[in-house]
Amino acid sequence: MSDMLGAGSGDRLAPILRPVRAGNGFEEALEQILQVLRLGLVPYGERLPAERVLADRMGVSRMTLREALKVLQDEGLVESRRGRYGGTFVLQRPGGEIRDPGDELRRRIEKVDVEDTLRFREVLEVGAAGLCAAHGLTDEQADRLREALHATQEAPLEDYRRVDTMLHLTLAELSGSPTLGAQYAAVRATLNDLLNCIPLLVRNLEHSQAQHAVVVSAVLGRDAPAAREAMREHCAGTAALLRGFLA
């Protein structure tokens, strides 16, 4: 296909490729390109639009786009070729089926309402962060939150999801609502079951770490609106990744 999004290719990709929201550029760019692949808008063996075109359409930097394409390459979905006729090409398995890291994820969600889970998670997480900030934490509670954040920053990759879960559970517990804490534990278990089906992406984890730090800072600074908004953005990043692998 042409590097430029002309009449034919542009018509096909226009509904998918759109400017991402501020805050989750990597996750949302990955989500959109995965959707393009899953929907077959670029046939197997053909070339994706040029990096500069994709980056412009989604409003992300070339570096962010390349990181998203690297994930797709590592997962066997695309291949980067150099030279005059190079670019990023959609891969095809023998027999004609695209390699799909979301197969196991789709099997697990047959009895799960993913959108309901993501929305309920956001309500609980945003609420917990806002309550912690609005009510304020004791010195002991603040130390617990700092320690939970520090644990995520020091965790090896294979242990990251566990300590990440503990940070979020700590916020839920410190909200002062036992019911909220119990409900969050349940929805987090469902969420982790889904997240365990997709690869741990270093760029996404780094981004999540930065967002965690903003949330904790806002909570400790007793800035409830900032805590809620930072947590809402954090939840949106996770949702974008899951939707991308499911598209």
Side-chain angles (χ1 to χ4, degrees):
M1 68 179 289
S2 169
D3 281 345
M4 296 303 293
L5 295 178
S9 61
D11 289 343
R12 295 198 303 271
L13 301 185
I16 305 300
L17 299 181
R18 58 197 181 278
V20 304
R21 293 169 295 180
N24 292 307
F26 167 76
E27 290 84 356
E28 293 195 20
L30 181 59
E31 175 189 15
Q32 291 186 30
I33 301 173
L34 276 165
Q35 288 176 342
V36 167
L37 299 182
R38 297 290 177 275
L39 294 171
L41 299 182
V42 178
Y44 305 151
E46 289 199 12
R47 183 173 54 193
L48 290 173
E51 288 184 2
R52 59 185 172 78
V53 177
L54 290 172
D56 287 346
R57 289 291 294 271
M58 292 186 285
V60 298
S61 68
R62 294 280 287 275
M63 180 178 294
T64 294
L65 176 66
R66 285 169 183 162
E67 289 171 336
L69 292 175
K70 178 63 164 56
V71 169
L72 299 177
Q73 183 169 325
D74 290 344
E75 292 302 314
L77 292 171
V78 301
E79 178 182 61
S80 179
R81 303 175 191 170
R82 296 183 178 181
R84 180 177 179 183
Y85 300 105
T88 302
F89 291 79
V90 178
L91 284 183
Q92 184 178 14
R93 274 182 174 175
E97 295 182 1
I98 192 169
R99 303 176 185 179
D100 192 346
D103 283 346
E104 176 63 21
L105 180 57
R106 278 187 284 275
R107 282 193 290 270
R108 290 198 187 188
I109 66 165
E110 287 178 354
K111 298 182 179 179
V112 176
D113 187 332
V114 176
E115 288 302 321
D116 181 63
T117 297
L118 293 174
R119 290 190 185 102
F120 191 41
R121 181 259 179 128
E122 180 178 333
V123 168
L124 294 175
E125 294 258 33
V126 171
L131 285 171
C132 287
H135 295 166
L137 303 180
T138 66
D139 290 343
E140 180 182 355
Q141 290 173 329
D143 286 342
R144 282 187 56 198
L145 185 57
R146 291 190 187 96
E147 288 170 5
L149 175 64
H150 181 70
T152 65
Q153 295 167 339
E154 297 297 320
L157 193 62
E158 62 273 14
D159 200 33
Y160 181 82
R161 195 148 284 152
R162 181 186 67 82
V163 293
D164 174 62
T165 297
M166 291 306 301
L167 171 61
H168 287 269
L169 285 173
T170 298
L171 273 170
E173 180 186 348
L174 295 179
S175 72
S177 170
T179 301
L180 189 156
Q183 291 292 319
Y184 180 69
V187 78
R188 182 71 192 210
T190 301
L191 181 67
N192 279 1
D193 195 42
L194 299 176
L195 289 172
N196 286 336
C197 297
I198 67 176
L200 281 167
L201 309 178
V202 173
R203 170 62 190 273
N204 170 249
L205 298 188
E206 291 173 346
H207 187 201
S208 292
Q209 286 295 84
Q211 291 176 326
H212 286 158
V214 173
V215 170
V216 170
S217 177
V219 168
L220 297 178
R222 302 195 64 171
D223 187 341
R228 287 192 293 266
E229 184 55 34
M231 184 59 83
R232 184 175 291 108
E233 187 173 282
H234 179 56
C235 291
T238 302
L241 275 184
L242 283 171
R243 289 178 182 129
F245 279 99
L246 284 171

PDB file of all heavy atoms in Angstrom, residues 15-41:
ATOM      1  N   PRO A  15     -11.367   5.666  10.265  1.00  0.00           N
ATOM      2  CA  PRO A  15     -12.168   5.441  11.480  1.00  0.00           C
ATOM      3  C   PRO A  15     -11.346   4.977  12.668  1.00  0.00           C
ATOM      4  O   PRO A  15     -11.804   5.065  13.812  1.00  0.00           O
ATOM      5  CB  PRO A  15     -13.153   4.342  11.037  1.00  0.00           C
ATOM      6  CG  PRO A  15     -13.170   4.393   9.554  1.00  0.00           C
ATOM      7  CD  PRO A  15     -11.787   4.782   9.172  1.00  0.00           C
ATOM      8  N   ILE A  16     -10.136   4.461  12.433  1.00  0.00           N
ATOM      9  CA  ILE A  16      -9.324   3.893  13.511  1.00  0.00           C
ATOM     10  C   ILE A  16      -8.230   4.850  13.956  1.00  0.00           C
ATOM     11  O   ILE A  16      -8.059   5.112  15.150  1.00  0.00           O
ATOM     12  CB  ILE A  16      -8.684   2.556  13.059  1.00  0.00           C
ATOM     13  CG1 ILE A  16      -9.764   1.587  12.572  1.00  0.00           C
ATOM     14  CG2 ILE A  16      -7.876   1.946  14.201  1.00  0.00           C
ATOM     15  CD1 ILE A  16     -10.787   1.230  13.611  1.00  0.00           C
ATOM     16  N   LEU A  17      -7.482   5.382  12.984  1.00  0.00           N
ATOM     17  CA  LEU A  17      -6.346   6.243  13.318  1.00  0.00           C
ATOM     18  C   LEU A  17      -6.833   7.659  13.606  1.00  0.00           C
ATOM     19  O   LEU A  17      -7.353   8.340  12.731  1.00  0.00           O
ATOM     20  CB  LEU A  17      -5.336   6.254  12.172  1.00  0.00           C
ATOM     21  CG  LEU A  17      -4.714   4.901  11.826  1.00  0.00           C
ATOM     22  CD1 LEU A  17      -3.720   5.062  10.692  1.00  0.00           C
ATOM     23  CD2 LEU A  17      -4.051   4.275  13.041  1.00  0.00           C
ATOM     24  N   ARG A  18      -6.658   8.092  14.843  1.00  0.00           N
ATOM     25  CA  ARG A  18      -7.144   9.395  15.285  1.00  0.00           C
ATOM     26  C   ARG A  18      -6.212   9.916  16.364  1.00  0.00           C
ATOM     27  O   ARG A  18      -5.476   9.135  16.983  1.00  0.00           O
ATOM     28  CB  ARG A  18      -8.565   9.268  15.839  1.00  0.00           C
ATOM     29  CG  ARG A  18      -8.659   8.300  16.998  1.00  0.00           C
ATOM     30  CD  ARG A  18     -10.077   7.840  17.294  1.00  0.00           C
ATOM     31  NE  ARG A  18     -10.088   6.926  18.423  1.00  0.00           N
ATOM     32  CZ  ARG A  18      -9.818   5.629  18.346  1.00  0.00           C
ATOM     33  NH1 ARG A  18      -9.473   5.091  17.178  1.00  0.00           N
ATOM     34  NH2 ARG A  18      -9.861   4.859  19.417  1.00  0.00           N
ATOM     35  N   PRO A  19      -6.216  11.202  16.624  1.00  0.00           N
ATOM     36  CA  PRO A  19      -5.340  11.744  17.672  1.00  0.00           C
ATOM     37  C   PRO A  19      -5.622  11.099  19.024  1.00  0.00           C
ATOM     38  O   PRO A  19      -6.776  10.957  19.428  1.00  0.00           O
ATOM     39  CB  PRO A  19      -5.690  13.235  17.684  1.00  0.00           C
ATOM     40  CG  PRO A  19      -6.227  13.505  16.318  1.00  0.00           C
ATOM     41  CD  PRO A  19      -6.964  12.261  15.918  1.00  0.00           C
ATOM     42  N   VAL A  20      -4.562  10.676  19.703  1.00  0.00           N
ATOM     43  CA  VAL A  20      -4.720  10.061  21.019  1.00  0.00           C
ATOM     44  C   VAL A  20      -4.910  11.148  22.063  1.00  0.00           C
ATOM     45  O   VAL A  20      -4.575  12.315  21.857  1.00  0.00           O
ATOM     46  CB  VAL A  20      -3.498   9.191  21.390  1.00  0.00           C
ATOM     47  CG1 VAL A  20      -3.261   8.135  20.329  1.00  0.00           C
ATOM     48  CG2 VAL A  20      -2.249  10.059  21.575  1.00  0.00           C
ATOM     49  N   ARG A  21      -5.466  10.749  23.201  1.00  0.00           N
ATOM     50  CA  ARG A  21      -5.627  11.692  24.301  1.00  0.00           C
ATOM     51  C   ARG A  21      -4.301  11.872  25.016  1.00  0.00           C
ATOM     52  O   ARG A  21      -3.474  10.972  25.051  1.00  0.00           O
ATOM     53  CB  ARG A  21      -6.683  11.167  25.285  1.00  0.00           C
ATOM     54  CG  ARG A  21      -8.086  11.120  24.701  1.00  0.00           C
ATOM     55  CD  ARG A  21      -9.020  10.355  25.603  1.00  0.00           C
ATOM     56  NE  ARG A  21      -8.640   8.946  25.684  1.00  0.00           N
ATOM     57  CZ  ARG A  21      -9.277   8.035  26.406  1.00  0.00           C
ATOM     58  NH1 ARG A  21     -10.313   8.402  27.136  1.00  0.00           N
ATOM     59  NH2 ARG A  21      -8.889   6.774  26.409  1.00  0.00           N
ATOM     60  N   ALA A  22      -4.119  13.045  25.585  1.00  0.00           N
ATOM     61  CA  ALA A  22      -2.885  13.322  26.324  1.00  0.00           C
ATOM     62  C   ALA A  22      -2.787  12.371  27.508  1.00  0.00           C
ATOM     63  O   ALA A  22      -3.774  12.077  28.162  1.00  0.00           O
ATOM     64  CB  ALA A  22      -2.875  14.771  26.795  1.00  0.00           C
ATOM     65  N   GLY A  23      -1.580  11.880  27.752  1.00  0.00           N
ATOM     66  CA  GLY A  23      -1.355  11.078  28.942  1.00  0.00           C
ATOM     67  C   GLY A  23      -1.116   9.614  28.694  1.00  0.00           C
ATOM     68  O   GLY A  23      -0.408   8.960  29.451  1.00  0.00           O
ATOM     69  N   ASN A  24      -1.702   9.048  27.636  1.00  0.00           N
ATOM     70  CA  ASN A  24      -1.548   7.616  27.359  1.00  0.00           C
ATOM     71  C   ASN A  24      -1.198   7.377  25.897  1.00  0.00           C
ATOM     72  O   ASN A  24      -1.769   6.495  25.241  1.00  0.00           O
ATOM     73  CB  ASN A  24      -2.829   6.861  27.720  1.00  0.00           C
ATOM     74  CG  ASN A  24      -3.094   6.826  29.208  1.00  0.00           C
ATOM     75  OD1 ASN A  24      -2.235   6.425  29.992  1.00  0.00           O
ATOM     76  ND2 ASN A  24      -4.267   7.273  29.620  1.00  0.00           N
ATOM     77  N   GLY A  25      -0.270   8.162  25.368  1.00  0.00           N
ATOM     78  CA  GLY A  25       0.059   8.086  23.954  1.00  0.00           C
ATOM     79  C   GLY A  25       0.512   6.716  23.500  1.00  0.00           C
ATOM     80  O   GLY A  25       0.051   6.209  22.469  1.00  0.00           O
ATOM     81  N   PHE A  26       1.419   6.094  24.248  1.00  0.00           N
ATOM     82  CA  PHE A  26       1.937   4.784  23.857  1.00  0.00           C
ATOM     83  C   PHE A  26       0.829   3.742  23.832  1.00  0.00           C
ATOM     84  O   PHE A  26       0.646   3.014  22.854  1.00  0.00           O
ATOM     85  CB  PHE A  26       3.048   4.348  24.816  1.00  0.00           C
ATOM     86  CG  PHE A  26       3.439   2.908  24.688  1.00  0.00           C
ATOM     87  CD1 PHE A  26       4.219   2.469  23.631  1.00  0.00           C
ATOM     88  CD2 PHE A  26       3.021   1.971  25.622  1.00  0.00           C
ATOM     89  CE1 PHE A  26       4.574   1.130  23.508  1.00  0.00           C
ATOM     90  CE2 PHE A  26       3.372   0.633  25.515  1.00  0.00           C
ATOM     91  CZ  PHE A  26       4.150   0.220  24.454  1.00  0.00           C
ATOM     92  N   GLU A  27       0.054   3.674  24.933  1.00  0.00           N
ATOM     93  CA  GLU A  27      -0.996   2.666  25.034  1.00  0.00           C
ATOM     94  C   GLU A  27      -2.064   2.846  23.966  1.00  0.00           C
ATOM     95  O   GLU A  27      -2.512   1.878  23.341  1.00  0.00           O
ATOM     96  CB  GLU A  27      -1.638   2.707  26.424  1.00  0.00           C
ATOM     97  CG  GLU A  27      -0.753   2.222  27.555  1.00  0.00           C
ATOM     98  CD  GLU A  27       0.178   3.292  28.095  1.00  0.00           C
ATOM     99  OE1 GLU A  27       0.195   4.428  27.541  1.00  0.00           O
ATOM    100  OE2 GLU A  27       0.916   3.028  29.053  1.00  0.00           O
ATOM    101  N   GLU A  28      -2.468   4.076  23.726  1.00  0.00           N
ATOM    102  CA  GLU A  28      -3.536   4.308  22.754  1.00  0.00           C
ATOM    103  C   GLU A  28      -3.042   4.141  21.317  1.00  0.00           C
ATOM    104  O   GLU A  28      -3.795   3.690  20.448  1.00  0.00           O
ATOM    105  CB  GLU A  28      -4.147   5.688  22.973  1.00  0.00           C
ATOM    106  CG  GLU A  28      -4.901   5.773  24.303  1.00  0.00           C
ATOM    107  CD  GLU A  28      -5.804   6.982  24.389  1.00  0.00           C
ATOM    108  OE1 GLU A  28      -6.166   7.547  23.350  1.00  0.00           O
ATOM    109  OE2 GLU A  28      -6.145   7.358  25.525  1.00  0.00           O
ATOM    110  N   ALA A  29      -1.780   4.497  21.056  1.00  0.00           N
ATOM    111  CA  ALA A  29      -1.232   4.251  19.723  1.00  0.00           C
ATOM    112  C   ALA A  29      -1.160   2.755  19.450  1.00  0.00           C
ATOM    113  O   ALA A  29      -1.521   2.275  18.362  1.00  0.00           O
ATOM    114  CB  ALA A  29       0.157   4.883  19.598  1.00  0.00           C
ATOM    115  N   LEU A  30      -0.721   1.985  20.451  1.00  0.00           N
ATOM    116  CA  LEU A  30      -0.668   0.534  20.306  1.00  0.00           C
ATOM    117  C   LEU A  30      -2.064  -0.026  20.087  1.00  0.00           C
ATOM    118  O   LEU A  30      -2.275  -0.900  19.235  1.00  0.00           O
ATOM    119  CB  LEU A  30      -0.036  -0.078  21.559  1.00  0.00           C
ATOM    120  CG  LEU A  30       0.123  -1.601  21.574  1.00  0.00           C
ATOM    121  CD1 LEU A  30       0.981  -2.065  20.405  1.00  0.00           C
ATOM    122  CD2 LEU A  30       0.722  -2.060  22.895  1.00  0.00           C
ATOM    123  N   GLU A  31      -3.034   0.476  20.831  1.00  0.00           N
ATOM    124  CA  GLU A  31      -4.419   0.022  20.681  1.00  0.00           C
ATOM    125  C   GLU A  31      -4.909   0.249  19.259  1.00  0.00           C
ATOM    126  O   GLU A  31      -5.512  -0.648  18.643  1.00  0.00           O
ATOM    127  CB  GLU A  31      -5.325   0.769  21.660  1.00  0.00           C
ATOM    128  CG  GLU A  31      -6.802   0.444  21.504  1.00  0.00           C
ATOM    129  CD  GLU A  31      -7.707   1.353  22.324  1.00  0.00           C
ATOM    130  OE1 GLU A  31      -7.234   2.406  22.782  1.00  0.00           O
ATOM    131  OE2 GLU A  31      -8.885   1.006  22.486  1.00  0.00           O
ATOM    132  N   GLN A  32      -4.660   1.426  18.698  1.00  0.00           N
ATOM    133  CA  GLN A  32      -5.169   1.744  17.365  1.00  0.00           C
ATOM    134  C   GLN A  32      -4.525   0.882  16.281  1.00  0.00           C
ATOM    135  O   GLN A  32      -5.208   0.387  15.369  1.00  0.00           O
ATOM    136  CB  GLN A  32      -4.958   3.228  17.065  1.00  0.00           C
ATOM    137  CG  GLN A  32      -5.839   4.146  17.910  1.00  0.00           C
ATOM    138  CD  GLN A  32      -5.726   5.601  17.490  1.00  0.00           C
ATOM    139  OE1 GLN A  32      -5.480   5.890  16.324  1.00  0.00           O
ATOM    140  NE2 GLN A  32      -5.903   6.510  18.429  1.00  0.00           N
ATOM    141  N   ILE A  33      -3.214   0.669  16.379  1.00  0.00           N
ATOM    142  CA  ILE A  33      -2.547  -0.139  15.357  1.00  0.00           C
ATOM    143  C   ILE A  33      -2.997  -1.599  15.463  1.00  0.00           C
ATOM    144  O   ILE A  33      -3.186  -2.276  14.450  1.00  0.00           O
ATOM    145  CB  ILE A  33      -1.018  -0.023  15.466  1.00  0.00           C
ATOM    146  CG1 ILE A  33      -0.587   1.441  15.308  1.00  0.00           C
ATOM    147  CG2 ILE A  33      -0.339  -0.871  14.378  1.00  0.00           C
ATOM    148  CD1 ILE A  33       0.878   1.687  15.567  1.00  0.00           C
ATOM    149  N   LEU A  34      -3.181  -2.084  16.696  1.00  0.00           N
ATOM    150  CA  LEU A  34      -3.703  -3.441  16.867  1.00  0.00           C
ATOM    151  C   LEU A  34      -5.084  -3.573  16.237  1.00  0.00           C
ATOM    152  O   LEU A  34      -5.415  -4.588  15.620  1.00  0.00           O
ATOM    153  CB  LEU A  34      -3.768  -3.792  18.363  1.00  0.00           C
ATOM    154  CG  LEU A  34      -2.468  -4.313  18.982  1.00  0.00           C
ATOM    155  CD1 LEU A  34      -2.552  -4.277  20.501  1.00  0.00           C
ATOM    156  CD2 LEU A  34      -2.149  -5.717  18.502  1.00  0.00           C
ATOM    157  N   GLN A  35      -5.901  -2.546  16.378  1.00  0.00           N
ATOM    158  CA  GLN A  35      -7.228  -2.573  15.765  1.00  0.00           C
ATOM    159  C   GLN A  35      -7.130  -2.641  14.245  1.00  0.00           C
ATOM    160  O   GLN A  35      -7.871  -3.381  13.590  1.00  0.00           O
ATOM    161  CB  GLN A  35      -8.030  -1.349  16.200  1.00  0.00           C
ATOM    162  CG  GLN A  35      -8.492  -1.408  17.644  1.00  0.00           C
ATOM    163  CD  GLN A  35      -9.198  -0.144  18.066  1.00  0.00           C
ATOM    164  OE1 GLN A  35      -9.063   0.901  17.424  1.00  0.00           O
ATOM    165  NE2 GLN A  35      -9.946  -0.213  19.139  1.00  0.00           N
ATOM    166  N   VAL A  36      -6.206  -1.882  13.692  1.00  0.00           N
ATOM    167  CA  VAL A  36      -5.995  -1.921  12.233  1.00  0.00           C
ATOM    168  C   VAL A  36      -5.648  -3.338  11.789  1.00  0.00           C
ATOM    169  O   VAL A  36      -6.177  -3.849  10.792  1.00  0.00           O
ATOM    170  CB  VAL A  36      -4.879  -0.940  11.826  1.00  0.00           C
ATOM    171  CG1 VAL A  36      -4.420  -1.191  10.385  1.00  0.00           C
ATOM    172  CG2 VAL A  36      -5.350   0.498  11.972  1.00  0.00           C
ATOM    173  N   LEU A  37      -4.763  -4.010  12.561  1.00  0.00           N
ATOM    174  CA  LEU A  37      -4.352  -5.363  12.207  1.00  0.00           C
ATOM    175  C   LEU A  37      -5.482  -6.364  12.381  1.00  0.00           C
ATOM    176  O   LEU A  37      -5.731  -7.212  11.518  1.00  0.00           O
ATOM    177  CB  LEU A  37      -3.146  -5.781  13.060  1.00  0.00           C
ATOM    178  CG  LEU A  37      -1.881  -4.932  12.915  1.00  0.00           C
ATOM    179  CD1 LEU A  37      -0.769  -5.500  13.785  1.00  0.00           C
ATOM    180  CD2 LEU A  37      -1.433  -4.842  11.466  1.00  0.00           C
ATOM    181  N   ARG A  38      -6.197  -6.277  13.519  1.00  0.00           N
ATOM    182  CA  ARG A  38      -7.264  -7.240  13.795  1.00  0.00           C
ATOM    183  C   ARG A  38      -8.406  -7.138  12.779  1.00  0.00           C
ATOM    184  O   ARG A  38      -9.019  -8.131  12.404  1.00  0.00           O
ATOM    185  CB  ARG A  38      -7.850  -7.010  15.192  1.00  0.00           C
ATOM    186  CG  ARG A  38      -6.878  -7.220  16.323  1.00  0.00           C
ATOM    187  CD  ARG A  38      -6.512  -8.700  16.485  1.00  0.00           C
ATOM    188  NE  ARG A  38      -5.529  -8.847  17.540  1.00  0.00           N
ATOM    189  CZ  ARG A  38      -4.230  -8.713  17.360  1.00  0.00           C
ATOM    190  NH1 ARG A  38      -3.760  -8.453  16.159  1.00  0.00           N
ATOM    191  NH2 ARG A  38      -3.391  -8.869  18.365  1.00  0.00           N
ATOM    192  N   LEU A  39      -8.677  -5.911  12.361  1.00  0.00           N
ATOM    193  CA  LEU A  39      -9.769  -5.696  11.412  1.00  0.00           C
ATOM    194  C   LEU A  39      -9.370  -6.000   9.973  1.00  0.00           C
ATOM    195  O   LEU A  39     -10.199  -5.958   9.064  1.00  0.00           O
ATOM    196  CB  LEU A  39     -10.277  -4.250  11.515  1.00  0.00           C
ATOM    197  CG  LEU A  39     -10.955  -3.891  12.842  1.00  0.00           C
ATOM    198  CD1 LEU A  39     -11.220  -2.397  12.911  1.00  0.00           C
ATOM    199  CD2 LEU A  39     -12.245  -4.673  13.020  1.00  0.00           C
ATOM    200  N   GLY A  40      -8.086  -6.281   9.763  1.00  0.00           N
ATOM    201  CA  GLY A  40      -7.619  -6.604   8.421  1.00  0.00           C
ATOM    202  C   GLY A  40      -7.610  -5.423   7.475  1.00  0.00           C
ATOM    203  O   GLY A  40      -7.693  -5.593   6.253  1.00  0.00           O
ATOM    204  N   LEU A  41      -7.491  -4.202   8.029  1.00  0.00           N
ATOM    205  CA  LEU A  41      -7.520  -3.016   7.179  1.00  0.00           C
ATOM    206  C   LEU A  41      -6.253  -2.890   6.339  1.00  0.00           C
ATOM    207  O   LEU A  41      -6.258  -2.249   5.292  1.00  0.00           O
ATOM    208  CB  LEU A  41      -7.709  -1.763   8.039  1.00  0.00           C
ATOM    209  CG  LEU A  41      -9.017  -1.721   8.840  1.00  0.00           C
ATOM    210  CD1 LEU A  41      -9.124  -0.421   9.626  1.00  0.00           C
ATOM    211  CD2 LEU A  41     -10.217  -1.882   7.918  1.00  0.00           C
TER     212      LEU A  41
END
